[in-house]
Amino acid sequence: MREVKLFYEFVKRGIAKKVRPDFKRGISFKAKAEKKNKLMQERLEKLGLTDESAEDYIESCYDIIMLLIRAKMYIDGYQSVGFGAHEAEVSYLRNLGFPEHDVQIADELRYFRNGMLYYATTLDKEYAQKVLSFLDQVYPQLVKIAEK
């Protein structure tokens, strides 16, 4: 995969914009992410992970991660819009102190999730397990960061 641009490059291109901090919106996104994570974990416990359910779990993980990034962006006074907005949000992980390896995994997830939605890419249980493990690793950090 190609390297994710630095966040300031998205700001320069107008994809990410400095806005007035919106704490209410940030808190709302964080709460939505926590609710989605709780429901996904319950579903995972009851139904398990199969090739048939893999894509649903992958999409849920992506949504949870992106909601938490957006929460912190709004709290910090940033918003991303238009073509490249999701890539800008992934790039913001660097600003939150995440290592490059995590940024690359999140970008891979963004790429494959986009493929599922727009190009009928099929993903399996093995990739879903990788994504679930990644969520387990970054979720507590993202929640803590979104609370600041």
Side-chain angles (χ1 to χ4, degrees):
M1 297 219 67
R2 61 181 176 68
E3 189 173 325
V4 179
K5 293 176 183 79
L6 298 173
F7 185 71
Y8 82 88
E9 294 177 58
F10 293 101
V11 174
K12 275 181 20 182
R13 291 176 43 208
I15 295 167
K17 300 175 183 192
K18 190 73 174 146
V19 295
R20 173 175 283 133
D22 190 338
F23 299 102
K24 185 176 179 182
R25 201 168 185 184
I27 290 167
S28 176
F29 279 141
K30 179 182 168 283
K32 187 177 279 196
E34 291 174 322
K35 180 180 175 184
K36 275 184 156 297
N37 187 56
K38 182 179 181 225
L39 292 171
M40 184 190 68
Q41 295 300 332
E42 288 174 4
R43 197 171 85 224
L44 194 55
E45 281 181 31
K46 290 178 184 173
L47 303 175
L49 174 61
T50 64
D51 280 330
E52 291 75 25
S53 64
E55 291 180 5
D56 286 337
Y57 289 119
I58 292 166
E59 193 166 358
S60 291
C61 290
Y62 178 80
D63 291 344
I64 292 162
I65 291 167
M66 296 307 281
L67 283 166
L68 289 168
I69 294 169
R70 279 184 206 125
K72 184 58 175 165
M73 285 179 70
Y74 276 106
I75 290 166
D76 290 347
Y78 286 101
Q79 176 183 10
S80 60
V81 294
F83 183 76
H86 288 215
E87 190 176 353
E89 292 164 347
V90 167
S91 177
Y92 200 69
L93 284 171
R94 284 191 196 102
N95 293 43
L96 301 178
F98 283 84
E100 189 61 29
H101 179 261
D102 289 350
V103 174
Q104 292 301 318
I105 292 173
D107 191 53
E108 176 188 88
L109 174 56
R110 179 197 61 78
Y111 178 83
F112 285 132
R113 182 263 188 185
N114 190 54
M116 284 180 356
L117 288 180
Y118 301 110
Y119 303 105
T121 301
T122 303
L123 299 170
D124 61 13
K125 178 181 175 179
E126 184 179 333
Y127 184 69
Q129 187 57 57
K130 177 183 174 180
V131 171
L132 286 161
S133 294
F134 179 66
L135 179 67
D136 285 345
Q137 174 202 332
V138 299
Y139 180 80
Q141 296 168 279
L142 284 169
V143 167
K144 189 174 181 180
I145 287 168
E147 289 173 349
K148 293 181 181 179

